Amino acid sequence: MPVPTESYLNEFLYGELVDVVGPENVSASQSDKIAYSCDYYWIPELWLDRGLPLPEPDLIVHPRSAEEVARVCRIAANHKAPLTTWGGGSGSQGGALPIHGGILLDTKKLNRILEIDKTSLTVTAETGIIMQHLEWALEREGLATMHEPASISCATLGGFLGHRGTGVLSTKYGKIEDMIMSLEAVLPDGTIINTLAVPRHASGPDLNQLFLGSEGTFGVITKATLKVHPLPEVRRFHAFVFPDLHTGLEVGRQLMARRLRPAVIRLYDEAETRRLIRRVLGIDKEGAYLVFGFDGDRDLVDLEMGKALAICRSLPHEDLGTQLGEDWWQHRYDFFFPNHMFHLPQAFGTLDTVATFANIENVYRAMKRVIEEQFPVARYIGHFSHWYEWGCMLYARFIIDQAPGDAHEAAQLYNRIWDACLRAAMKEGGLL
């Protein structure tokens, strides 16, 4: 691997990092720098496409243990070098980009499963493990974390912890912060800490929550213990089309208000039903497509499904039955990969917003008005996922089918749309 010669400081950093992890685990090659300068955020994709300079790291390091991470952090602190943590690189908002250069710390060699505790129903693993690999190992033991996001095949456990990630089954099993038991983290000065063994205690603040969602700003999470669940006896789905989004939202609200326990509820607005549902599932319908599912013991699933169907059928609807619900589950990742995500020359932004049931439809319509009235070059679609007793999350998107050719003009338009939409959402009670 070539030794960096761009700066006097980099020569020192390179030598010290090699001393910690070995020369095979430090890179200064230009091809590696480019690979770590672009995640799934649209702006660096645009920059790469237009041949503009990208935010490259100076050095890439691959530690293999928390102790090596600690030594890397101490080196960075001693030299006041920027340090950026990188998991799978699948983030959509640029959070892993080394915008200040410096050291990029790739966690993927921290990939061991340390313990599967079938008595307490927990798993302990290093955070560089790809989430799908962790799930496959658990499934062989009849278990699962039930954390199944669209990025499961390429994102790391640490990425989900650092960003408070949410999976498809969150309505029943919670987000990643609901699954955590304890964690190990390396602070910026190289100190290794372990949080308390269980999250339910009265021994002061829950330090897990300090690191969850911090995106690497407070330290590098190197190990975590998560709750796991037995694989359910059955998992069943049912689909409906409602005449409009308002009716679909009311159905979802009632499902949660009755304190039923759906594993998943997914509601698509009229535009996504017309375009995306038709393209992925082959369902040619007008209105708002809603799918929900229950899992667990057969008799409990039958009971909850019956109550949910009664709610759906109490309002104007078209019953699509179980098969078109099962089809959604089987194709749940196809809505994103490999053929249905947006790509250049399109511009797209994902405006994730969460609000109470009293506000969520107003949030949706406020952002829709911004797109239609201020930015007619774009179109707006959305679906509602990750439902709670008090509200749900809107997964809204704006799409520009042909972005401006000039990269700076395109980026400025992109950011203006983001700013206007999210300010409109916050005004209506939405949270980013």
Side-chain angles (χ1 to χ4, degrees), residues 194-356:
N194 284 271
T195 64
L196 296 179
V198 296
R200 295 288 184 257
H201 56 75
S203 301
D206 181 0
L207 294 184
N208 290 330
Q209 301 303 319
L210 183 66
F211 294 95
L212 294 167
S214 66
E215 303 196 25
T217 55
F218 296 143
V220 182
I221 304 172
T222 51
K223 181 176 69 178
T225 299
L226 303 178
K227 306 171 190 175
V228 295
H229 306 270
L231 292 174
E233 181 182 5
V234 295
R235 180 175 285 146
R236 292 179 179 161
F237 296 88
H238 207 103
F240 286 83
V241 169
F242 294 99
D244 50 45
L245 179 65
H246 178 79
T247 306
L249 281 170
E250 176 59 17
V251 167
R253 186 195 70 81
Q254 288 192 31
L255 290 174
M256 299 307 296
R258 286 284 299 276
R259 298 304 191 252
L260 301 177
R261 300 177 305 152
V264 61
I265 305 174
R266 190 64 58 91
L267 171 67
Y268 296 82
D269 72 355
E270 294 90 341
E272 280 213 32
T273 299
R274 189 178 306 116
R275 291 172 177 262
L276 199 57
I277 294 295
R278 178 183 296 172
R279 189 164 69 240
V280 177
L281 301 182
I283 302 172
D284 189 4
K285 299 292 182 182
E286 294 293 328
Y289 172 87
L290 182 143
V291 60
F292 59 86
F294 293 89
D295 65 13
D297 292 347
R298 187 181 306 274
D299 55 344
L300 295 178
V301 169
D302 289 344
L303 177 63
E304 290 192 298
M305 181 63 78
K307 291 182 178 295
L309 292 175
I311 291 172
C312 294
R313 290 165 180 165
S314 70
L315 293 167
H317 68 277
E318 180 181 352
D319 190 334
L320 298 180
T322 59
Q323 186 57 54
L324 292 182
E326 293 286 346
D327 287 349
W328 176 87
W329 175 252
Q330 296 301 323
H331 292 278
R332 64 193 182 280
Y333 298 142
D334 295 346
F335 286 89
F336 303 94
F337 307 107
N339 299 317
H340 298 296
M341 282 295 281
F342 301 100
H343 293 288
L344 290 168
Q346 293 175 318
F348 62 92
T350 303
L351 307 162
D352 289 0
T353 311
V354 65
T356 62

Side-chain angles (χ1 to χ4, degrees), residues 32-34 36-37 54-60 98 100-104:
D32 284 346
K33 291 180 180 182
I34 293 172
Y36 287 98
S37 66
L54 291 162
E56 296 178 359
D58 296 306
L59 298 163
I60 301 102
H100 297 296
I103 301 168
L104 189 140

Side-chain angles (χ1 to χ4, degrees), residues 20-21 62-72 105-107 109-112 126 184 186 192 220 222:
V20 172
V21 299
H62 302 268
R64 296 156 295 186
S65 67
E67 290 72 22
E68 289 187 353
V69 172
R71 293 179 66 186
V72 170
L105 190 154
D106 188 312
T107 63
K109 288 193 175 183
L110 296 164
N111 62 0
R112 295 178 299 159
E126 294 177 324
E184 175 187 78
V186 180
I192 301 174
V220 182
T222 51

Side-chain angles (χ1 to χ4, degrees), residues 32-59:
D32 284 346
K33 291 180 180 182
I34 293 172
Y36 287 98
S37 66
C38 186
D39 62 1
Y40 212 76
Y41 184 34
W42 185 76
I43 294 292
E45 287 193 0
L46 172 71
W47 251 237
L48 182 64
D49 182 72
R50 302 297 195 269
L52 296 176
L54 291 162
E56 296 178 359
D58 296 306
L59 298 163

